[in-house]
Amino acid sequence: MFYREISGVKVSALGMGNMRLPKIEGEGEKINRAKAQEIIDYAMAHGINYYDTAYRYHGGESERFLGDALKKYPRDSYLLASKFPGHMMEKKGNGVMGFTSMLKGHPDSTVDAVFHEQLEKCQVDYFDFYLLHNVNEKSLALYEDQEAGIIDYLMEQKALGKIRHLGFSTHAVSAKTIDDFLTRHEGVFEFVQIQLNYLDWKLQDAKGKVEVITKHHLKIVVMEGVRGGRLATLPDQQMEKLKAVRPDDSAARWALRWVQSVPGVAVVLSGMSTLEQIQENVETFGAPDPVNAQENQLLLDLADSMLSWVPCTACRYCTEGCPMELEIPKIIRAYNGVKNDDRMARYNPDESAPSMDPRRCIGCGQCTSICPQNIAIPDVMKEFAGMLAH
């Protein structure tokens, strides 16, 4: 494992994301704790020291699991990062905050209560890294609301030593949103977590976002380096081009090597859900192995051929509120395959579970309102249903 730094802290170049831990089949987001513990133990044994979680991951159980999984290790042997869920909250007055979106129904709370709940769940006295979760065009108003006082409160916790380093994650549509936010809060944040991979370099202007963050002299934590697994499985004709250059490398290794190459990147998070995935990724990050100019151009050319894909990362935000209980990410994956790889014959909703049938979508739009990628999901479902009718 090789290491980089954020504000003088030595961080493993590969970080353990805890949004896609192994689950118990048929029990929703319930974590398979035995398998997940094996992954954490492997990570600790192989030099990974950065562990990322958030208030809502796995229905709120990711923080609790991680607290249990790491408590057998010395506190100074790992770096723990979590996030304040302001993107799923609303101000109710007198310091009271209500939950929205997938957290709707949770009891009203306060900034202080949420933060200390997270410390308790993670069984720690402080967070090494703490983030505002998903600063974007929709959540900016709450995060910057003076009465809510979220940023001021977190700065106080930093002064008290309960937060060592403060940053934010973002799925902002525009790089300018990030630039303006950093300018208004110059000197407050030390790092920014963004979605970064060779497909989004152009598709979601990750290039512009990297330029903005490095302009402010901040380090980058990467999420979705393989785009929720989408860049880990490529069509045969695309994979053949990569194999011609490096025959032994998987598509996932190509994607992670590309992210290694981007200036300013400190940690690349991977939501590893099997031992096989973490074993391969640890090998990939055994030593710096950035792509060269020729390989970079090859990947960007492949990305150009994917620009018509619906940019789903399989974060599953959408599924938690779907009244029809559709497996939206899996349906979108099938849609991308049918539309771009001509695999119509491989997808027959009449032979699949009801949760895989786009024709059952009622177009309520709840999924779109919480999608970090701003995908018009009902439109995709409608188009896919039309394609399958012909």
Side-chain angles (χ1 to χ4, degrees), residues 52-74:
D52 173 87
T53 184
Y55 189 80
R56 65 149 296 276
Y57 291 172
H58 282 279
E61 287 303 305
S62 176
E63 288 177 322
R64 198 176 305 280
F65 162 75
L66 203 54
D68 290 337
L70 291 172
K71 68 182 178 182
K72 65 181 180 179
Y73 297 102

Side-chain angles (χ1 to χ4, degrees), residues 146-164:
Q146 290 298 308
E147 183 183 352
I150 296 171
I151 295 176
D152 287 343
Y153 173 83
L154 297 181
M155 290 296 289
E156 290 173 5
Q157 299 311 304
K158 185 177 179 182
L160 292 170
K162 294 185 178 295
I163 295 172
R164 299 292 171 85

Side-chain angles (χ1 to χ4, degrees), residues 193-204:
Q193 183 170 314
I194 63 169
Q195 181 171 313
L196 178 60
N197 53 70
Y198 65 83
L199 176 57
D200 284 319
W201 192 245
K202 181 183 291 185
L203 184 63
Q204 296 203 11

Side-chain angles (χ1 to χ4, degrees), residues 264-280:
V265 167
V267 179
V268 179
L269 297 174
S270 180
M272 298 167 281
S273 55
T274 67
L275 273 176
E276 291 75 17
Q277 288 173 354
I278 193 170
Q279 287 165 352
E280 178 180 342

Side-chain angles (χ1 to χ4, degrees), residues 84 86-92 97 111 132-151 177 181 184-185:
F84 183 80
H87 66 311
M88 293 184 179
M89 301 185 80
E90 61 184 1
K91 186 179 69 172
K92 290 196 168 182
M97 309 283 283
V111 179
L132 302 178
H133 200 164
N134 195 9
V135 173
N136 61 35
E137 289 79 4
K138 296 178 182 178
S139 63
L140 269 174
L142 180 66
Y143 278 131
E144 296 190 306
D145 186 277
Q146 290 298 308
E147 183 183 352
I150 296 171
I151 295 176
T177 299
F181 183 70
R184 289 194 297 272
H185 302 282

Side-chain angles (χ1 to χ4, degrees), residues 227-246:
R227 240 183 177 279
R230 186 61 189 90
L231 298 180
T233 306
L234 298 176
D236 291 343
Q237 65 270 28
Q238 294 180 339
M239 201 63 215
E240 287 171 5
K241 295 177 181 179
L242 301 182
K243 291 290 186 183
V245 179
R246 290 175 65 119

Side-chain angles (χ1 to χ4, degrees), residues 18 76 102 116 189 234 273 294 320-323 349 357-358 361 368:
N18 290 272
D76 61 359
M102 287 169 295
H116 281 88
F189 301 104
L234 298 176
S273 55
Q294 176 191 4
E320 295 182 23
C322 178
D357 190 344
C361 173
T368 297

Side-chain angles (χ1 to χ4, degrees), residues 62-128:
S62 176
E63 288 177 322
R64 198 176 305 280
F65 162 75
L66 203 54
D68 290 337
L70 291 172
K71 68 182 178 182
K72 65 181 180 179
Y73 297 102
R75 182 63 184 90
D76 61 359
S77 66
Y78 62 87
L79 302 168
L80 183 60
S82 196
K83 310 177 188 74
F84 183 80
H87 66 311
M88 293 184 179
M89 301 185 80
E90 61 184 1
K91 186 179 69 172
K92 290 196 168 182
N94 297 320
V96 176
M97 309 283 283
F99 290 98
T100 64
S101 189
M102 287 169 295
L103 295 176
K104 190 172 183 179
H106 284 223
D108 291 348
S109 191
T110 65
V111 179
D112 179 72
V114 169
F115 180 74
H116 281 88
E117 178 189 352
Q118 292 178 287
L119 287 173
E120 181 181 357
K121 288 167 70 176
C122 291
Q123 302 180 48
V124 294
D125 296 322
Y126 64 91
F127 289 110
D128 300 277

